[in-house]
């Protein structure tokens, strides 16, 4: 199968590429891949474990090998021998120039960038160019996944975002203030009938206009990969719920480095991330405990993301108690296998004739589209049941 990655030279993308190619060559194990668990037996028939990669980027590097080497030299997030084993494949992976419309001030941290709109062109032409790039790569078994830097919250306007006709008008009228890069990529993928996933908290396909476009055409899912602190939070909080313990307050403090951390250090880019992390407690518990969610840039940590959580809770007879945890993970290593999983499940859905939001893939996301289910245990059951129903 083929995976088109938006933000193809980022650390999550390049780790997914190395992983995909290493699996194909039999030099890596399937540890970390949800889609290889026993309940999903038979998925191989629809979405085999071999992958071709391409994508859009705005940083100008020679190829995916160079991009991976840059991340690996800094982070040492896996063994150099693995990259050597797939070097020839990685050199072949090159990207097309993307768009960075309304990507916020955080984009300045990426160094020198090149975008389609460096040449004065309108929104309609930008999407035509994006579609052209995707079309050249796709083969009928292709999935598009957004793994680009997090954008600021968009300015929404009912006239342009509530229907596909409105969105097409936005393109034709070239109302750049109402478009974001992630919307343009999502529009291009869905318009071509390619399954699409949004691994970031950016808007992507999560506006009524694009949900309408996907209906009857192709499956999509999002938003924001659930990989670290939120994964633990939504797995642990149900314990308090099942034992009827009242959560009074939950403090989450995250620190991280690398490009993702640099971009998120900008208030406008950070806002969407904090919002998607914050929503989960209320959705899960049915009430809203006092909550602090902070993300800060900590350069020397690089891709090592550390989350400190403190939970204040009340038990029998009104007695107050505390729970603390520290999650200390390599961000790209927990995220990359999910890129392969999501792509495989979306291709499966496409082959089974499913279109629109696949809410059953909510298991993979912090802020699942069209679903209030955020309890990891229930989401996992939902995914297994869906797979079994659709498979037969
Ligand atoms: N565990 C995780 O790592 C995790 C979990 C959930 C969500 N995410 C999200 O995934 C995304 C990628 O994370 P990362 O750690 O790989 O970040 P990264 O900074 O290493 O990679 C992002 C890449 O996107 C590129 N890019 C930025 N804007 C672009 C645009 N408009 N078009 C094309 N390319 C663009 C950048 O040049 C960069 O190469 C972020 O939005 C992050 O918040 C990551």
């Amino acid at each position: 199968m083929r995976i088109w990655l938006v933000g193809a030279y980022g650390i999550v993308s390049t780790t997914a590429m190395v992983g995909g190619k290493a699996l194909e060559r039999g030099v890596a194990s399937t540890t970390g891949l949800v889609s290889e668990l026993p309940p999903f037996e038979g998925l191989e028939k629809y979405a085999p474990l071999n992958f071709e990669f391409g994508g859009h980027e705005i940083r100008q590097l020679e190829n995916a090998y160079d991009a991976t080497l840059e991340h690996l030299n800094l982070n040492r997030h896996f063994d150099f021998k693995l990259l050597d084993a797939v070097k020839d494949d990685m050199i072949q992976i090159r990207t097309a120039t993307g768009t960075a419309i309304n990507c916020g001030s955080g984009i300045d941290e990426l160094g020198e960038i090149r975008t389609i709109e460096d040449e004065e062109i309108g929104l309609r032409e930008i999407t035509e160019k994006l579609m052209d790039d995707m079309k050249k790569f796709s083969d009928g078994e292709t999935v598009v996944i957004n793994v680009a830097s997090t954008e600021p919250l968009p300015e929404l306007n009912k006239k342009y975002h509530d229907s596909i006709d409105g969105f097409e008008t936005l393109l034709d009228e070239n109302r750049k203030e109402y478009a974001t890069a992630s919307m343009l990529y999502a529009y291009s993928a869905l318009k071509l009938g390619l399954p699409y996933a949004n691994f970031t908290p950016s808007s992507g396909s999560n506006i009524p206009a694009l949900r309408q476009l996907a209906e009857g055409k192709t499956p999509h899912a999002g938003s924001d990969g659930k990989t670290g602190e939120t994964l633990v939070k939504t797995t642990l909080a149900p314990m308090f719920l099942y034992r009827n313990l009242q959560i009074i307050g939950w403090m989450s403090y995250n620190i991280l480095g690398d490009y993702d951390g640099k971009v998120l250090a900008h208030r406008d880019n950070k806002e969407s991330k904090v919002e998607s992390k914050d929503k989960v407690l209320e959705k899960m518990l049915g009430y809203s405990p006092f909550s602090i969610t902070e993300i800060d840039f900590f350069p020397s940590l690089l891709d090592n993301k550390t989350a400190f959580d403190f939970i204040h809770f009340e038990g029998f007879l009104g007695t107050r108690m505390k729970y603390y945890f520290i999650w200390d993970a390599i961000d790209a290593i927990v995220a990359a296998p999910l890129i392969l999983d999501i792509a495989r499940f979306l291709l499966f859905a496409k082959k089974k004739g499913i279109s629109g939001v696949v809410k059953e893939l909510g298991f993979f996301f912090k802020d699942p589209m069209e679903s209030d289910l955020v309890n990891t245990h229930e989401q996992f059951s939902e995914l297994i049941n869906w797979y079994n129903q659709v498979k037969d």
Side-chain angles (χ1 to χ4, degrees):
M1 66 173 299
R2 297 186 170 201
I3 307 180
W4 183 265
L5 295 162
V6 177
Y9 289 160
I11 190 165
V12 174
S13 285
T14 51
T15 309
M17 289 173 187
V18 169
K21 286 295 173 188
L23 281 165
E24 200 178 287
R25 288 180 178 268
V27 294
S29 84
T30 54
T31 305
L33 276 187
V34 174
S35 55
E36 282 296 293
L37 284 169
F40 308 110
E41 208 188 319
L43 186 63
E44 180 80 19
K45 198 170 98 195
Y46 303 92
L49 274 181
N50 51 58
F51 305 95
E52 294 298 322
F53 296 98
H56 279 114
E57 239 309 327
I58 53 173
R59 286 189 303 132
Q60 300 301 305
L61 293 154
E62 196 58 36
N63 53 47
Y65 176 79
D66 286 3
T68 312
L69 202 57
E70 184 193 278
H71 293 298
L72 200 53
N73 278 328
L74 267 177
N75 290 286
R76 320 244 154 198
H77 50 307
F78 54 82
D79 199 316
F80 274 90
K81 280 191 214 138
L82 262 180
L83 181 57
D84 266 351
V86 298
K87 181 173 178 178
D88 294 344
D89 299 319
M90 296 299 286
I91 287 175
Q92 300 301 319
I93 304 171
R94 281 143 205 259
T95 58
T97 303
T99 169
I101 296 266
N102 291 324
C103 282
S105 56
I107 282 294
D108 300 341
E109 302 293 344
L110 298 172
E112 202 187 325
I113 60 166
R114 193 156 80 215
T115 67
I116 307 178
E117 58 275 8
D118 286 347
E119 282 156 44
E120 215 16 77
I121 60 171
L123 290 175
R124 181 55 89 180
E125 289 155 291
I126 293 176
T127 55
E128 274 161 14
K129 165 86 176 59
L130 297 177
M131 277 192 265
D132 216 37
D133 300 329
M134 291 178 189
K135 231 190 295 183
K136 278 188 201 136
F137 174 82
S138 58
D139 68 343
E141 298 219 334
T142 303
V143 173
V144 175
I145 304 192
N146 178 26
V147 244
S149 314
T150 301
E151 296 168 355
L153 294 167
E155 191 184 335
L156 293 176
N157 180 314
K158 279 184 175 309
K159 178 177 171 210
Y160 296 123
H161 295 116
D162 273 13
S163 71
I164 189 57
D165 286 347
F167 195 80
E168 304 254 353
T169 307
L170 174 156
L171 298 180
D172 291 331
E173 290 179 1
N174 198 26
R175 298 298 301 267
K176 287 195 168 134
E177 65 275 34
Y178 293 118
T180 67
S182 71
M183 286 178 198
L184 300 180
Y185 289 119
Y187 168 82
S188 306
L190 298 174
K191 186 85 180 166
L192 291 173
L194 301 175
Y196 166 90
N198 183 13
F199 201 74
T200 81
S202 310
S203 145
S205 62
N206 199 13
I207 50 171
L210 298 185
R211 288 205 292 268
Q212 194 186 343
L213 174 63
E215 218 45 68
K217 203 173 169 76
T218 197
H220 63 131
S223 306
D224 201 7
K226 182 160 94 168
T227 58
E229 190 250 342
T230 309
L231 174 66
V232 183
K233 201 180 216 174
T234 53
T235 307
L236 185 67
M239 174 189 80
F240 294 92
L241 193 71
Y242 303 152
R243 287 295 166 102
N244 199 5
L245 299 167
Q246 180 83 12
I247 297 175
I248 307 162
W250 195 308
M251 191 258 347
S252 315
Y253 183 56
N254 298 265
I255 48 176
L256 79 162
D258 219 6
Y259 285 123
D260 194 22
K262 271 188 193 167
V263 172
L264 287 174
H266 288 245
R267 175 75 30 210
D268 49 347
N269 295 74
K270 179 157 60 177
E271 227 171 20
S272 41
K273 195 79 172 180
V274 170
E275 195 175 280
S276 82
K277 273 177 165 291
D278 245 1
K279 277 185 203 162
V280 292
L281 277 182
E282 190 177 345
K283 275 191 185 173
M284 195 164 25
L285 301 169
Y287 60 91
S288 186
F290 173 72
S291 142
I292 297 174
T293 304
E294 278 298 331
I295 310 174
D296 276 325
F297 180 47
F298 200 103
S300 59
L301 274 184
L302 302 171
D303 202 44
N304 203 154
K305 189 191 277 171
T306 306
F308 304 86
D309 280 49
F310 165 71
I311 305 140
H312 201 195
F313 66 99
E314 192 169 293
F316 199 42
L317 308 179
T319 301
R320 292 187 169 184
M321 295 165 274
K322 294 160 192 150
Y323 186 99
Y324 310 77
F325 72 82
I326 295 175
W327 170 260
D328 195 345
I330 311 296
D331 237 13
I333 294 298
V334 285
L338 303 194
I339 301 299
L340 307 179
D341 286 327
I342 293 166
R344 295 182 84 198
F345 282 117
L346 276 176
L347 182 58
F348 165 72
K350 173 83 180 175
K351 287 187 174 175
K352 288 294 188 180
I354 291 172
S355 68
V357 175
V358 189
K359 63 179 180 47
E360 294 85 353
L361 293 186
F363 175 66
F364 295 106
F365 300 103
K366 279 194 200 72
D367 189 12
M369 276 167 74
E370 291 189 6
S371 174
D372 281 334
L373 200 64
V374 288
N375 175 326
T376 309
H377 313 275
E378 291 174 8
Q379 288 176 322
F380 189 49
S381 300
E382 184 189 44
L383 178 67
I384 294 172
N385 293 341
W386 170 77
Y387 175 71
N388 282 317
Q389 273 164 20
V390 176
K391 185 177 68 155
D392 298 330

